Amino acid sequence: RQDVLVLTPWLAPIVWEGTFNRDILNAQYVQKNLVTGVVTFAVGRYVQFIEGFMSSANTYFLAGHPVNFYLFTDNPEQIPHLQMAPENHLFVIPVQNHSQWEDISVSRMDIISRYIHNQFQHEVDYLYSIDINVRLFEHVGVEIIDALVGTISSCQYTAHREGNSYERRTESQAAIPGGEGDFYYTAGFYGGSVSEVYKLTRDCFKGVMKDRENGVEAWQHDESHLNKYLLYHKPTRLLSPEYYWDEEL
């Protein structure tokens, strides 16, 4: 690809369609006997997105490779019957509802880090957090696998750095100084090795709680803290906006 940026200044690859050979990557991945996990949250009205997300992810996410789907929901009784691929497993985990979307958003980091520590680290090698209101229309394969992976926001990709939605208020733990910032990452799709995702989610949640002690709410909630973390802990692989495209664009 000559039409897009395929390498970051710190030499991490940016994955676009046409920049990899999936057959070669699949062959390498199979030899390692790895299991990948996907965490998603369906709380409140977001229960309506479960069937669309799960049916598409079951078909297109790491197709042919074992995937554990961890679905957190406050309405487990409303989950439709889902026919999973033989190599995939769905685990439904009850979670408390929150009245405010922001509370649900920021509590995700805490829930993910706690479950990594208590459960996920014993069950999967890599873990990705994906929003439930996503539908996959093409294969998302092992080209996404790396130690620490962020996805460039489709809304922010062409924006000038200063136009990105970074938190700039210095009183927030998510603050990024003016003039600083590499890419703007979406909190709708990120992941990596279990150990790296644990460090990311734990660090972000600490920032959220410190903000709350000080009466501050980051501009984009957990996404602001994610961007602060990934600025100072560089991702080893970036996914292009193709992987999380806003259909309104």
Side-chain angles (χ1 to χ4, degrees), residues 1 4 15-17 130-131 133-138 140 151-159 184-189 239-249:
R1 293 284 296 266
V4 291
V15 183
W16 297 82
E17 190 66 35
I130 306 178
D131 280 355
N133 58 345
V134 165
R135 298 259 333 235
L136 278 66
F137 294 100
E138 298 289 347
V140 174
T151 303
I152 302 171
S153 170
S154 57
C155 296
Q156 301 288 345
Y157 180 68
T158 58
Y184 188 81
Y185 304 98
T186 174
F189 189 0
L239 304 183
S240 75
E242 296 170 320
Y243 284 85
Y244 194 83
W245 192 256
D246 184 346
E247 62 183 0
E248 293 183 4
L249 300 175

Side-chain angles (χ1 to χ4, degrees), residues 29 35-41 53-54 57-58 60-62 65-72 84 88-93 112 120 123-132 134 136 140 144-145 188-192 194 197:
Y29 187 83
V35 179
T36 299
V38 171
V39 172
T40 191
F41 289 78
F53 172 80
M54 285 305 309
N58 185 52
Y60 291 118
F61 190 86
L62 268 63
H65 302 293
V67 179
N68 286 356
F69 290 95
Y70 301 106
L71 172 60
F72 289 89
M84 304 296 293
N88 293 342
H89 295 90
L90 173 63
F91 300 92
V92 177
I93 305 174
I112 292 172
F120 298 161
E123 299 176 350
V124 298
D125 302 285
Y126 292 89
L127 187 69
Y128 290 80
S129 174
I130 306 178
D131 280 355
I132 193 72
V134 165
L136 278 66
V140 174
I144 72 168
I145 300 296
F189 189 0
Y190 65 90
V194 171
V197 176

Side-chain angles (χ1 to χ4, degrees), residues 7-153:
L7 202 65
T8 70
W10 60 94
L11 305 183
I14 304 175
V15 183
W16 297 82
E17 190 66 35
T19 62
F20 56 89
N21 185 311
R22 188 168 283 136
D23 291 337
I24 293 175
L25 295 176
N26 278 333
Q28 295 172 341
Y29 187 83
V30 167
Q31 295 175 5
K32 298 177 182 179
N33 294 317
L34 300 172
V35 179
T36 299
V38 171
V39 172
T40 191
F41 289 78
V43 177
R45 63 185 180 86
Y46 284 86
V47 172
Q48 65 182 303
F49 297 110
I50 291 175
E51 189 164 9
F53 172 80
M54 285 305 309
S55 61
S56 64
N58 185 52
T59 300
Y60 291 118
F61 190 86
L62 268 63
H65 302 293
V67 179
N68 286 356
F69 290 95
Y70 301 106
L71 172 60
F72 289 89
T73 181
D74 61 334
N75 285 296
E77 67 282 353
Q78 293 188 28
I79 295 178
H81 174 72
L82 301 166
Q83 185 65 44
M84 304 296 293
E87 66 274 11
N88 293 342
H89 295 90
L90 173 63
F91 300 92
V92 177
I93 305 174
V95 66
Q96 182 181 357
N97 191 0
H98 294 271
S99 58
Q100 298 295 322
W101 177 86
E102 292 85 353
D103 291 331
I104 299 169
S105 175
V106 298
S107 66
R108 290 186 302 184
M109 294 290 192
D110 179 41
I111 292 170
I112 292 172
S113 64
R114 285 191 287 108
Y115 271 84
I116 288 174
H117 182 266
N118 296 329
Q119 178 181 345
F120 298 161
Q121 65 170 323
H122 307 297
E123 299 176 350
V124 298
D125 302 285
Y126 292 89
L127 187 69
Y128 290 80
S129 174
I130 306 178
D131 280 355
I132 193 72
N133 58 345
V134 165
R135 298 259 333 235
L136 278 66
F137 294 100
E138 298 289 347
H139 287 284
V140 174
V142 298
E143 74 277 358
I144 72 168
I145 300 296
D146 216 319
L148 183 59
V149 181
T151 303
I152 302 171
S153 170

Side-chain angles (χ1 to χ4, degrees), residues 220-234:
Q220 295 293 338
H221 314 296
D222 58 339
E223 189 167 89
S224 294
H225 291 274
L226 173 76
N227 274 274
K228 172 70 173 291
Y229 185 89
L230 293 180
L231 174 60
Y232 297 111
H233 305 80
K234 302 295 190 191

Side-chain angles (χ1 to χ4, degrees), residues 188-199:
F189 189 0
Y190 65 90
S193 68
V194 171
S195 60
E196 288 296 331
V197 176
Y198 177 70
K199 288 186 284 187

